[in-house]
Amino acid sequence: MPLAKSTSGKTLKKGKTSTKKSTLRFCVFGDSHIACVKHAQDEDLLDLKNVALEFWGAPGPQFRDLHLEEGRLAARSEAARDSLEKINPARVEGLDPEDFDGFLFIGCRLRASEFLLPLLGSLPGSPGYLSSSVRALMLNRWLEGCRWYRAAREFAKLRPVFFSPAGFLNDGIVSEDEVARTINTEATEAERKAIWDGVALAMQQDNIHLIRQPEETVTRGGLTRAEFATTLGDQGDDSVHKNGAYGGLILNEALRELRRTQK
Amino acid sequence: MMSEQSPNPYVGLPETAFWKTAVAARNPLEISALWRPKFTVARKHKVITAGSCFAQHFSRALVARGYGWLDAEPAPKLLSEDQAWDFNYGIFSFRTGNIYTARMLRQWLSYAFEGEEPPVEHWEQNGRFYDPLRPGIEPEGFADLAELQASRAALLAAIRGAILEADVLVFTMGLTECWRHRTSELEYAICPGTLAGRFDPDQHEFVNQSFVGIRRDMLAALKILRQANPKLKVLLTVSPVPLTATASEEHVLTATSHSKSVLRAVAGELAAEFKHVDYFPSYEIITHPAYRGMFYAPNQRSVVPQGVNHVMESFFACQTAAFPWLARKSKRGGKTAGEPAGQPSNARAVKCDEEFLDAFG
């Protein structure tokens, strides 16, 4: 999919953080899902040659306190600022699209499960079949209903933006009852691809590049393979978050695409 | 001084048997005990609704009171309420759209349960495809014939699932007038050429269904339902909404009167004939002169919300009068209704914090 050429050289303002000319300044933005990329960095799984990587975001409730204000993301609460202080103390005041050469929005309350699973469960021949008109409305609501997707769209007017929706829930954590009720475990790679293609097309219209969930991380139609689930904690009951291996796949794909388009 | 009344069958009857005490002496809103239900409709029951538009009020009232209305074709969660409504989700228990006539009900049931092949006929307009059995089900029709057929197949599966699972079917009889294909006798949901399609007098004919024909179709429908689900009870109502238009060459007012009278008579006969079939008089509550037309909007056609409320209040009042334990159960049910289900709402937020702290803490 074509991606707009970076305009970083033309729009870089004086007084901004200086970097080597050949170094890409790249920012990972999101909610707690940015953690998987940080894990990947800590585990040396990222291809960061000539890349200056930064993170910006906040977990859980604090994430909701991050708002787009006059074209930049800013924290509206002390709690959110505290989170920013931890992950990027130099940029507590806000995230400006012009501060970086590209962005990865990850998670950000845009959950693959909420859109893909109902569609995978409603293919022709299945009881809950949904028409293309209904699917189109769902896609629009899924994207437009996400405040941070709308923010990504604003950022994409100035810089390349990649968006990686939160991956499918983790296999082995979700109860089998829920799996039976909500997941078409027979869904194929081709069926997922067809839906992802539609998402990519919709995002492309907003100049956003979709980073889809890598197929090697998917199992049983619409779950994430257990080996890509976070290993945090002893409870083993986190059905949402992913590990460094997953984060590495996502960020490396975004960087690969960014480099490709900047050649 | 009058002599004492000699014994006769009217002596000792309840006051509801006498116009003077049951109607004339009462404020219309206090006319009560209009219905003696044959069976309970309790919260534990799965109720499905279909039929003419007035049936929609039943589902809403049941949902509002925490009853188990079964939606066999629920809207995807990502649709807004308005979008779901536009695409006919959540209106009836399955996306047939309005089933105005007994024949239409019979047709749907035959397709769903008897292996009868649905029609191949479809209507094309501006590159979109419309189902003659439910042309308004998607505002812009379907993208192609395959989509139309896939959607219809899903509907038939939903009908099957709903009827097999339900305890009670509420069916509102709406019209006697309909349009059919002259040779195949396929009945259309609406006259071809109105919402979609093209009217062709050589192919399409007007039929004003008779008492005998409607009764025959209802008997066939009841038979299919009984075979599919022997425990299913059927509650019939008649829509109080007058005809929008008539093709009978009669005045629309007399045509309405004729149509509703025939439907009312069939419903009454079926309720009298079968133990598992009952008739609830929502039609009378709205239309009867005793209510002085107070439940109609100024166009004398639309039923105002107060009318719907009164109908539904009467429904539940008659249920609890006949089955007092329903009220007790309902109170007990209310206590548990607000209790949270599943994991606490802040569980995910806590987990997010943990994950984040681990990475950046």
Side-chain angles (χ1 to χ4, degrees):
Chain A
M1 183 173 66
L3 187 73
K5 285 268 186 186
S6 167
T7 52
S8 60
K10 293 173 188 169
T11 54
L12 189 64
K13 290 177 183 173
K14 282 184 181 176
K16 297 282 176 185
T17 311
S18 65
T19 53
K20 288 179 189 173
K21 197 174 179 184
S22 58
T23 300
L24 276 174
R25 298 163 307 152
F26 197 83
C27 183
V28 179
F29 166 75
D31 49 16
S32 50
H33 287 278
I34 63 176
C36 68
V37 181
K38 183 66 168 67
H39 291 316
Q41 185 182 32
D42 294 344
E43 294 162 23
D44 202 21
L45 298 174
L46 301 178
D47 177 10
L48 292 177
K49 189 181 175 188
N50 297 326
V51 174
L53 186 68
E54 291 188 32
F55 295 86
W56 206 88
Q62 293 96 307
F63 185 69
R64 286 193 287 271
D65 296 331
L66 303 179
H67 289 262
L68 190 68
E69 291 175 349
E70 296 177 355
R72 69 202 296 261
L73 281 160
R76 281 190 189 167
S77 72
E78 276 306 312
R81 270 188 285 274
D82 287 347
S83 289
L84 288 168
E85 190 71 49
K86 284 194 184 82
I87 72 160
N88 198 334
R91 297 188 194 276
V92 173
E93 290 311 309
L95 182 65
D96 195 314
E98 292 179 327
D99 287 347
F100 291 92
D101 300 315
F103 293 86
L104 170 66
F105 282 58
I106 185 167
C108 297
R109 309 300 160 87
L110 193 69
R111 302 175 180 105
S113 298
E114 288 179 2
F115 179 65
L116 275 85
L117 292 188
L119 264 60
L120 290 169
S122 61
L123 299 166
S126 61
Y129 174 76
L130 300 170
S131 70
S132 54
S133 299
V134 171
R135 288 165 173 245
L137 287 175
M138 290 168 67
L139 175 55
N140 185 263
R141 285 258 302 168
W142 184 55
L143 297 178
E144 291 297 319
C146 176
R147 179 152 60 86
W148 296 279
Y149 179 79
R150 300 197 298 271
R153 188 168 51 200
E154 292 306 307
F155 272 49
K157 289 174 182 170
L158 296 168
R159 291 289 185 274
V161 171
F162 302 85
F163 208 118
S164 168
F168 295 127
L169 297 178
N170 300 330
D171 189 23
I173 310 293
V174 183
S175 75
E176 287 306 310
D177 278 352
E178 189 178 340
V179 170
R181 201 172 58 250
T182 61
I183 298 174
N184 172 10
T185 53
E186 302 300 313
T188 64
E189 180 174 350
E191 288 162 346
R192 284 187 294 277
K193 181 181 180 302
I195 299 171
W196 280 124
D197 286 348
V199 176
L201 195 62
M203 287 192 176
Q204 189 183 19
Q205 287 164 2
D206 291 326
N207 205 27
I208 295 172
H209 185 105
L210 168 71
I211 303 293
R212 52 190 88 191
Q213 177 162 1
E215 268 302 317
E216 62 265 41
T217 70
V218 179
T219 186
R220 300 175 70 195
L223 288 165
T224 297
R225 297 170 72 90
E227 52 265 46
F228 292 97
T230 182
T231 51
L232 174 68
D234 302 325
Q235 305 97 319
D237 60 350
D238 185 339
S239 61
V240 175
H241 296 104
K242 312 295 183 247
N243 63 11
Y246 185 94
L249 290 171
I250 298 296
L251 189 84
N252 286 335
E253 171 64 16
L255 291 176
R256 199 161 34 244
E257 198 58 33
L258 182 62
R259 288 175 181 129
R260 189 182 66 78
T261 57
Q262 291 196 325
K263 274 180 187 169
Chain B
M1 189 177 165
M2 286 176 71
S3 61
E4 220 172 85
Q5 200 170 20
S6 59
N8 67 66
Y10 292 93
V11 174
L13 288 180
E15 67 174 28
T16 53
F18 300 95
W19 189 265
K20 184 177 175 182
T21 49
V23 181
R26 287 175 179 261
N27 176 315
L29 296 177
E30 288 167 359
I31 296 171
S32 59
L34 283 167
W35 176 47
R36 280 189 299 159
K38 288 182 182 178
F39 45 80
T40 56
V41 180
R43 286 187 175 190
K44 68 175 182 179
H45 289 137
K46 290 175 183 167
V47 182
I48 54 175
T49 51
S52 187
C53 50
F54 201 75
Q56 297 167 28
H57 299 306
F58 256 91
S59 55
R60 282 192 224 160
L62 290 169
V63 170
R65 287 165 176 78
Y67 277 69
W69 179 63
L70 181 59
D71 186 356
E73 256 192 307
K77 286 179 186 164
L78 278 171
L79 290 193
S80 70
E81 227 171 87
D82 286 346
Q83 289 169 335
W85 184 263
D86 287 345
F87 282 77
N88 285 278
Y89 285 102
I91 295 177
F92 300 105
S93 288
F94 21 75
R95 293 174 71 219
T96 50
N98 290 319
I99 301 177
Y100 288 114
T101 67
R103 173 62 66 89
M104 279 298 286
L105 175 65
R106 181 182 181 176
Q107 277 183 182
W108 280 121
L109 294 175
S110 299
Y111 302 143
F113 287 101
E114 303 218 302
E116 194 174 315
E117 281 298 312
V120 290
E121 181 178 346
H122 61 275
W123 297 339
E124 279 183 62
Q125 200 163 297
N126 301 324
R128 303 291 292 181
F129 289 69
Y130 295 83
D131 187 343
L133 298 172
R134 45 175 196 153
I137 208 69
E138 302 243 340
E140 304 296 329
F142 293 98
D144 52 37
L145 186 57
E147 189 172 88
L148 182 157
Q149 288 169 337
S151 179
R152 195 194 275 162
L155 163 65
L156 296 179
I159 292 175
R160 279 190 292 274
I163 284 167
L164 292 174
E165 200 180 334
D167 298 296
V168 180
L169 163 66
V170 178
F171 181 67
T172 300
M173 305 170 80
L175 296 176
T176 56
E177 295 189 16
C178 66
W179 291 87
R180 291 182 185 162
H181 192 277
R182 287 185 187 278
T183 47
S184 71
E185 295 192 352
L186 171 72
E187 185 167 309
Y188 302 102
I190 194 165
C191 179
T194 52
L195 199 61
R198 189 167 30 191
F199 183 73
D200 177 355
D202 292 333
Q203 289 190 52
H204 305 133
E205 66 173 348
F206 172 74
V207 176
N208 198 358
Q209 300 173 27
S210 67
F211 176 94
V212 172
I214 294 168
R215 187 171 179 278
R216 186 170 55 233
D217 285 331
M218 284 302 296
L219 286 173
L222 289 171
K223 187 177 173 189
I224 297 170
L225 292 169
R226 199 70 171 158
Q227 282 173 344
N229 180 356
K231 72 173 171 63
L232 183 72
K233 307 281 197 298
V234 178
L235 182 61
L236 299 174
T237 67
V238 171
S239 168
V241 180
L243 276 65
T244 308
T246 181
S248 65
E249 299 181 1
E250 300 295 327
H251 190 289
V252 69
L253 189 146
T254 56
T256 294
S257 194
H258 172 84
S259 181
K260 302 295 179 182
S261 302
V262 168
L263 295 174
R264 174 63 184 90
V266 173
E269 292 270 311
L270 294 172
E273 193 171 342
F274 296 100
K275 279 184 184 169
H276 72 290
V277 179
D278 202 354
Y279 169 75
F280 171 66
S282 53
Y283 170 71
E284 281 83 352
I285 294 172
I286 300 297
T287 65
H288 200 280
Y291 293 91
R292 300 158 201 174
M294 71 171 80
F295 295 135
Y296 281 114
N299 66 5
Q300 296 300 306
R301 182 169 187 274
S302 309
V303 177
V304 296
Q306 294 91 327
V308 175
N309 286 342
H310 189 65
V311 164
M312 296 315 302
E313 292 298 335
S314 302
F315 175 85
F316 291 110
C318 291
Q319 275 281 316
T320 48
F323 311 107
W325 54 268
L326 277 178
R328 295 196 293 275
K329 273 216 159 184
S330 172
K331 276 184 188 167
R332 282 208 298 275
K335 281 182 186 171
T336 56
E339 286 180 7
Q343 61 176 333
S345 60
N346 64 349
R348 184 158 290 181
V350 171
K351 280 186 176 303
C352 292
D353 281 335
E354 286 173 356
E355 184 70 25
F356 203 83
L357 287 171
D358 181 70
F360 296 101

